[in-house]
Amino acid sequence: MPALTTTSDGFLLHGEPFRIISGALHYFRVHPDQWTDRLRKARLMGLNTVETYLPWNLHEPEPGTLVLDGLLDLPRFLRLAQAEGLHVLLRPGPYICAEWDGGGLPAWLVSDPDIRLRTSDPRFTDAFDRYLDQLLPPLLPHLAANGGPVIAVQVENEYGAYGDDTAYLAHVEEALRTRGVEELLFTCDQANAKHLAAGSLPGTVSGGTFGGRVDEHLAALRAHRPEGPLFCSEFWIGWFDHWGGPHHTRSAENAAADLDRLLAAGASVNIYMFHGGTNFGFTNGANHHHTYAPTVTSYDYDAALTESGDPGPKYHAFRDVIARYAPVPDEPAPAPAPKLPLTTVDLDRRAPLLPHLRTLEGAVGSADPVTMDELGAPTGYALYRTTVPAAGDGLLHFAGGVGDRAQVFVDGASVGVLERERHDETLPVRVPYAGATLEVLVENQGGVNYGPRIGAPKGLLGPVSFQGTALHGWECRPVPLEDLEALPFEPSEATSDAVPAFHRGTFEVDTPADTFLALPGWTKGQAWVNGFHLGRYWNRGPQHTLYVPGPVLRPGANDLVLLELHATTGTRAQLTDTPDLGPENHS
């Protein structure tokens, strides 16, 4: 029998009345050395439960593999949650959305152009079943039935917004049950009649997702299920940001008033997000409704805990609300964590990107460009190279466009940029002589995480022509970024730069602490500290600093590497004690 059961209007935990007061905390968006701190702060706010998605694409990066270490050491996260006295809601997907690269679906899976994602297509369900065969055995000891903290597991994720294949949902439910998951199962859908009807399963709890209009949405949940617990499975207290868009915020007073309405109605709740964290590396997703819009590196979400784990205004407001309905620990609210003093980093060594790539082996030859998926490069960058047989002025045409952003070079000189979000397919260029070299550096800015375009290919998406004549004979290569130590850095005294290049500098730290990397004068690229991939920066904003977790720093000398794709007007970076996520846009 599961530890968590339902009554006509609520939950029982081990037979006693229980209300879920949960907050979302994604282990894979938080440095593992900070998990204990974040979980303690969840308990001190009054939460009795934390919720997390599981990103399939990271846990199974190649078919048949399983990664459960570092940022992905979920068993350790579950042990720490239990040690803090917290219950856990697990959301294993297969699809998670989460503003995460590809919605969590592995690139090797979605690279099959004919696969019918999130349906009963056996290519999809068999792959998920094999993943569960590996994933669940190390997790089963952490289920409540076996003495662990996990009291409920989600089936799929907001499926009613995507499809209506009830047999598929039933397959996911059965896949969990037959592999030893005895705990209560729940679904999660936007709280309207259509989505709830398409995304729910008999015998499971129907959770609703919403951020406001509490009475209306709870009424929709009750109309859908006349009996059982009212459960807001995602109570949206902030929002995420896209590059070039506003920084979204929501006032603490407004969010706390809606939390009060939820709890006053007797509902259980999962606050999304309690602590958002960071899309480290190449993990951010993108939306693509009418226009492609990639998500920024920060997943601060204007959550109760800031991106760096400090209590924000919502933390204190929510703690006061929760105390009216449930016990809150009689301990002081946490103070902000110490920050590194202002530090300037001189990036005085340089390694140009394109000349370095030309020396590497491993290029794939093809008549026409191949996608990044076909190159085995699910994230990052790819370089395409050929020669142009004719000289003169003309249009360079990219049939099918680019995924997602392409910098074009003729004989090493930049001649323009194409962007998926602008639907660019042509670029006017001047080719100085017949046989000039054409290079196209393509950036995957994040896999679509919501809607029918999940799995959209990256790279050059069709043949390329100049003056109407197709260009053939391409060298296509992924850009390797795993071993930055192997880059041919040389001292540089230049005060500016205008070609894609790696830049490196060192800085001293007395006592490691959280800090924020500011890059005034830099344009667009990636940043690493001591080999830890912080993620993407872009002067387009709204985000203008990258969070550097204290645990990635060390006493003494530390290393900063930037891959700058365009130009820099200086050679310095700053580590500051204040994040800059953009001017606030209250919603």
Side-chain angles (χ1 to χ4, degrees):
M1 181 176 174
L4 188 67
T5 55
T6 63
T7 68
S8 62
D9 63 353
F11 292 107
L12 300 175
L13 185 62
H14 303 300
E16 298 294 325
F18 180 73
R19 187 209 297 255
I20 298 171
I21 304 178
S22 172
L25 170 57
H26 301 156
Y27 57 97
F28 47 91
R29 282 180 157 131
V30 180
H31 192 285
D33 291 353
Q34 297 172 324
W35 288 346
T36 297
D37 173 79
R38 307 306 193 250
L39 291 163
R40 180 180 68 88
K41 289 169 177 171
R43 177 182 63 81
L44 290 180
M45 196 178 82
L47 302 183
N48 56 31
T49 305
V50 291
E51 168 269 304
T52 185
Y53 284 123
L54 280 64
W56 181 6
N57 59 347
L58 292 196
H59 283 299
E60 191 182 13
E62 300 292 338
T65 60
L66 181 67
V67 180
L68 283 177
D69 60 7
L71 277 168
L72 299 172
D73 192 347
L74 179 54
R76 177 177 173 237
F77 180 82
L78 297 175
R79 288 194 298 272
L80 293 173
Q82 186 167 27
E84 199 60 53
L86 293 165
H87 306 292
V88 177
L89 309 177
L90 281 189
R91 305 172 75 185
Y95 161 79
I96 63 172
C97 184
E99 291 71 59
W100 190 253
D101 183 39
L105 298 178
W108 54 262
L109 176 71
V110 300
S111 63
D112 179 346
D114 298 319
I115 194 169
R116 290 180 293 116
L117 302 174
R118 305 175 70 192
T119 71
S120 299
D121 182 342
R123 289 170 294 184
F124 187 77
T125 54
D126 289 354
F128 185 58
D129 289 351
R130 290 191 295 270
Y131 168 56
L132 291 182
D133 286 340
Q134 299 184 87
L135 176 74
L136 287 178
L139 299 187
L140 291 178
H142 303 284
L143 301 187
N146 301 316
V150 177
I151 56 173
V153 178
Q154 183 174 296
V155 177
E156 244 282 349
N157 187 56
E158 290 194 331
Y159 187 69
Y162 183 86
D164 57 4
D165 187 345
T166 305
Y168 161 65
L169 283 184
H171 177 96
V172 175
E173 176 187 24
E174 184 68 9
L176 294 168
R177 288 291 188 223
T178 56
R179 289 166 178 80
V181 177
E182 300 175 28
E183 305 312 323
L184 181 142
L185 299 179
F186 66 101
T187 57
C188 173
D189 285 286
Q190 294 166 44
N192 64 64
K194 179 182 177 183
H195 288 190
L196 289 167
S200 297
L201 273 173
T204 65
V205 170
S206 291
T209 65
F210 50 90
R213 307 202 316 271
V214 171
D215 296 340
E216 172 189 334
H217 289 120
L218 290 179
L221 283 172
R222 184 51 77 212
H224 174 67
R225 288 278 169 87
E227 285 199 347
L230 288 172
F231 179 33
C232 178
S233 48
E234 286 186 18
F235 170 48
W236 303 323
I237 65 164
W239 208 243
F240 53 92
D241 297 341
H242 291 128
W243 290 113
H247 172 48
H248 296 86
T249 60
R250 180 181 179 184
S251 75
E253 295 76 16
N254 178 276
D258 275 344
L259 178 62
D260 199 11
R261 291 183 183 95
L262 274 166
L263 297 180
S268 285
V269 64
N270 175 53
I271 295 166
Y272 195 99
M273 297 289 297
F274 163 69
H275 173 48
T278 309
N279 298 313
F280 293 120
F282 294 119
T283 58
N284 68 278
N287 287 97
H288 195 159
H289 301 297
H290 303 295
T291 299
Y292 175 80
T295 302
V296 303
T297 302
S298 171
Y299 201 64
D300 176 88
Y301 214 87
D302 198 32
L305 284 189
T306 66
E307 182 179 11
S308 59
D310 290 336
K314 292 191 178 81
Y315 186 94
H316 303 285
F318 289 177
R319 196 173 193 243
D320 291 342
V321 169
I322 292 168
R324 298 173 203 155
Y325 300 94
V328 169
D330 186 18
E331 301 175 48
K339 304 295 185 292
L340 207 67
L342 184 66
T343 303
T344 298
V345 187
D346 288 309
L347 291 113
D348 53 7
R349 283 159 289 168
R350 176 178 174 272
L353 175 66
L354 297 183
H356 169 63
L357 293 178
R358 293 173 196 138
T359 69
L360 301 181
E361 298 180 354
V364 172
S366 64
D368 291 314
V370 299
T371 67
M372 290 177 69
D373 285 331
E374 292 169 315
L375 285 175
T379 59
Y381 304 86
L383 181 68
Y384 299 84
R385 191 166 188 256
T386 190
T387 55
V388 185
D393 295 330
L395 281 181
L396 199 59
H397 179 66
F398 293 78
V402 300
D404 301 307
R405 189 174 188 271
Q407 295 170 243
V408 183
F409 304 86
V410 174
D411 278 0
S414 175
V415 295
V417 173
L418 299 109
E419 294 186 307
R420 175 176 245 158
E421 59 191 277
R422 295 198 313 234
H423 309 286
D424 290 340
E425 291 189 0
T426 58
L427 187 69
V429 300
R430 171 167 290 178
V431 177
Y433 59 90
T437 298
L438 173 70
E439 290 172 299
V440 186
L441 180 65
V442 182
E443 178 181 9
N444 171 352
Q445 295 192 127
V448 174
N449 56 254
Y450 185 84
R453 289 186 171 92
I454 292 172
K458 305 292 186 177
L460 294 186
L461 307 181
V464 180
S465 59
F466 177 65
Q467 295 177 335
T469 300
L471 303 179
H472 296 300
W474 290 85
E475 288 183 5
C476 316
R477 68 169 76 244
V479 175
L481 295 171
E482 294 78 27
D483 186 8
L484 302 178
E485 293 295 324
L487 293 169
F489 284 105
E490 294 184 354
S492 172
E493 296 182 0
T495 56
S496 63
D497 203 2
V499 299
F502 294 94
H503 300 260
R504 185 175 189 175
T506 56
F507 58 98
E508 294 290 321
V509 168
D510 290 331
T511 303
D514 287 346
T515 186
F516 303 92
L517 176 64
L519 296 165
W522 301 79
T523 305
K524 188 181 199 296
Q526 305 288 330
W528 293 260
V529 169
N530 295 332
F532 184 91
H533 191 178
L534 301 177
R536 179 180 284 105
Y537 66 88
W538 196 355
N539 65 1
R540 176 178 287 186
Q543 177 179 2
H544 289 290
T545 56
L546 292 176
Y547 172 52
V548 183
V552 310
L553 300 175
R554 56 197 176 217
N558 291 260
D559 190 60
L560 171 64
V561 173
L562 302 180
L563 169 57
E564 168 58 57
L565 298 173
H566 288 280
T568 171
T569 57
T571 57
R572 289 184 163 184
Q574 286 194 324
L575 297 171
T576 176
D577 60 2
T578 306
D580 180 359
L581 299 179
E584 294 187 354
N585 177 64
H586 283 293
S587 55

